[in-house]
Amino acid sequence: MAIQMTINARDDAQILDNPGYGVPIKIFTTDIDADAIEQLKKVARLQFIHSHVAVMPDVHLGIGATVGSVIPTKNAIIPAAVGVDIGCGMNAVRLGLNASQLPDDLRRIRSDIERKVPVGFALHKQVKAKASTLSPLDKRLNTIIAKHPGLKRMLKNFDQTWQKQLGTLGGGNHFIELCVDEQAQVWVMLHSGSRGLGNCIGTYFIELAKKEAQHRFGHVPDKDLSYFAEGSASFDDYVEAVHWAQDYAYENRREMMQLVLEAIRPHFPPFQLSKEAVNCHHNYVQQEQHFGENVFVTRKGAIRAATDELGIIPGSMGTKSYIVRGKGNPESFCSCSHGAGRKMSRSKAKRLFTPDDLSLQTQGIECRKDGGVVDEIPAAYKDIDQVMANQTDLVEVVHTLKQVLCVKG
């Protein structure tokens, strides 16, 4: 479905003493609340926004910037728009297995995955990643720490922790799933990011941007939209650090996928992996060309959906997920949604729902059904079918997945 709503942020820009500035906000849904619209307007009024702000169908209010927004900037980057879960994203691979080969009782498989992959705040007892993975990351990180030694004080047992967290899940909405597609083929799908150190990098540079309060492009309507201007030392340092965290997140998912496969292989006959595999970010920034300009594109809860590019759009636990192929829609800056999107806060979900509700809504799925994950109940999320219907101009569905097992942090 095409753009359903366009808002011109210039119409009331004078409220913020910034007359004459404001780009359109192009929204691929009508399911958006007033607070998210006001948050988007603040971003759209920044003088360094290129062309327009694109808003995906899973949009909802975020911290700093709106989740589900795609923000193209010229000569500046907003650290809070990238956020603290830098490089958070998805990894999925199809196995050479049929649903008929799944055991009737999946509890042992879930237990073995949870033993193999630390969840929540846990980390490996020993470093699991190979030296060929760690060495280049370590070298680049040392360069970053030399310029910003305060980062090292933000993470307990710094060197051991970031290395031992490679191949770990984390908490919140991060997950590991076994899924079955429309052809009864089995997939492994997981969702995680840059763990503790990525959080530290995001937090550190967000606060640095607020402290420096660079004003090359004029007034900033919200301290959370503090930015680094290209040409400043902090801009260069942030780009270096955020790219490190994004690479770390990618390697974390790759390492975790190998551990999950090790955990499940004893439960199945020998199988090979399909060439159908995807590893993509949905909280990140990178340079791209759009509408004739080289810009920094920040995707805050959105994935890249360039022409023929594969991506992953997960639903909530208990609903469908999708492997998609991008259509390269220029109005979305070649982007699409990163999931269903929350329709209520975690605290509200905990007030409204009980473990019994969770058990009912995840019937038939091997997963936790206790109060610790009630905030992840499907009813706390938007309808994934409607989210997908709103972005038929952005992606086409390649595979529809339904989970049969879900590991949560």
Side-chain angles (χ1 to χ4, degrees):
M1 187 175 290
I3 296 167
Q4 296 187 13
M5 187 187 310
T6 300
I7 297 169
N8 194 333
R10 184 178 296 184
D11 293 343
D12 53 357
Q14 66 273 13
I15 295 173
L16 299 171
D17 299 320
N18 196 14
Y21 291 101
V23 298
I25 305 164
K26 300 185 179 183
I27 307 173
F28 287 82
T29 183
T30 57
D31 184 11
I32 179 171
D33 62 46
D35 289 338
I37 289 175
E38 289 307 309
Q39 190 175 51
L40 287 162
K41 284 182 178 180
K42 290 180 181 180
V43 172
R45 292 182 188 121
L46 297 170
Q47 297 177 39
F48 49 82
I49 302 298
H50 173 59
S51 180
H52 63 276
V53 175
V55 183
M56 303 299 101
D58 57 342
V59 57
H60 58 92
L61 188 70
I63 299 172
T66 313
V67 179
S69 60
V70 183
I71 306 168
T73 56
K74 291 182 65 176
N75 309 118
I77 295 178
I78 309 164
V82 180
V84 297
D85 198 359
I86 301 169
C88 184
M90 302 290 303
N91 192 1
V93 62
R94 184 162 64 87
L95 313 181
L97 293 171
N98 189 275
S100 62
Q101 294 173 290
L102 289 167
D104 292 333
D105 189 346
L106 296 171
R107 282 178 295 181
R108 286 183 57 194
I109 296 180
R110 179 162 76 94
S111 178
D112 285 352
I113 292 173
E114 290 170 342
R115 276 195 292 268
K116 201 79 169 179
V117 179
V119 303
F121 292 106
L123 60 162
H124 292 292
K125 293 181 180 179
Q126 291 90 28
V127 176
K128 293 289 186 179
K130 295 179 180 178
S132 58
T133 297
L134 290 171
S135 181
L137 287 171
D138 190 42
K139 184 177 180 180
R140 291 165 58 196
L141 182 59
N142 287 337
T143 301
I144 295 166
I145 295 299
K147 290 181 282 188
H148 296 276
L151 280 167
K152 203 160 188 176
R153 296 190 291 271
M154 296 176 69
L155 191 64
K156 187 177 180 181
N157 300 321
F158 184 89
D159 291 311
Q160 291 186 13
T161 298
W162 77 261
Q163 295 185 34
K164 289 181 178 179
Q165 282 190 334
L166 263 176
T168 65
L169 182 63
N173 61 354
H174 294 163
F175 62 78
I176 301 166
E177 292 182 344
L178 280 183
C179 305
V180 175
D181 69 15
E182 72 288 344
Q183 297 175 337
Q185 297 297 297
V186 179
W187 292 67
V188 174
M189 182 170 70
L190 57 85
H191 172 207
S192 191
S194 51
R195 304 296 286 112
L197 184 48
N199 186 292
C200 291
I201 288 171
T203 300
Y204 177 90
F205 281 98
I206 289 169
E207 293 307 311
L208 182 61
K210 293 176 183 177
K211 181 179 178 181
E212 292 190 359
Q214 298 182 20
H215 293 302
R216 179 182 299 182
F217 300 100
H219 179 77
V220 175
D222 189 318
K223 64 181 181 179
D224 282 327
L225 298 178
S226 299
Y227 61 88
F228 295 128
E230 193 167 12
S232 68
S234 294
F235 178 94
D236 293 338
D237 292 352
Y238 178 68
V239 169
E240 182 179 24
V242 79
H243 284 167
W244 184 92
Q246 289 168 189
D247 291 344
Y248 179 89
Y250 183 94
E251 293 296 339
N252 180 46
R253 291 192 293 272
R254 190 178 65 84
E255 184 70 24
M256 203 184 330
M257 181 62 76
Q258 295 306 311
L259 294 172
V260 173
L261 293 174
E262 289 177 16
I264 69 174
R265 281 190 186 277
H267 297 274
F268 296 101
F271 63 85
Q272 299 295 319
L273 304 183
S274 164
K275 291 182 180 179
E276 287 185 288
V278 190
N279 194 342
C280 60
H281 298 319
H282 54 226
N283 283 346
Y284 72 112
V285 59
Q286 69 179 19
Q287 279 190 288
E288 298 176 7
Q289 187 172 76
H290 293 279
F291 298 103
E293 295 278 356
N294 290 316
V295 294
F296 291 93
V297 177
T298 297
R299 292 185 174 91
K300 172 82 166 182
I303 64 172
R304 182 173 163 86
T307 303
D308 293 332
E309 186 170 6
L310 292 178
I312 307 167
I313 302 177
S316 58
M317 59 191 295
T319 62
K320 290 177 285 189
S321 299
Y322 299 88
I323 307 297
V324 298
R325 180 179 291 110
K327 294 185 176 181
N329 189 312
E331 295 299 325
S332 72
F333 300 103
C334 300
S335 307
C336 68
S337 82
H338 81 311
R342 297 194 71 90
K343 67 179 181 183
M344 67 180 68
S345 68
R346 295 184 182 279
S347 58
K348 183 175 181 179
K350 288 179 179 179
R351 291 196 305 270
L352 290 180
F353 300 106
T354 68
D356 287 341
D357 297 322
L358 177 63
S359 181
L360 182 63
Q361 292 185 30
T362 58
Q363 194 170 11
I365 300 169
E366 174 55 44
C367 63
R368 287 178 59 186
K369 302 177 189 286
D370 57 80
V373 292
V374 164
D375 55 337
E376 283 294 297
I377 192 169
Y381 285 83
K382 294 183 180 182
D383 180 355
I384 187 63
D385 291 330
Q386 186 59 56
V387 167
M388 295 304 297
N390 286 338
Q391 55 188 333
T392 54
D393 283 359
L394 309 183
V395 294
E396 63 175 315
V397 174
V398 179
H399 293 292
T400 301
L401 310 182
K402 184 70 175 71
Q403 67 268 67
V404 294
L405 179 154
C406 179
V407 172
K408 281 280 187 182

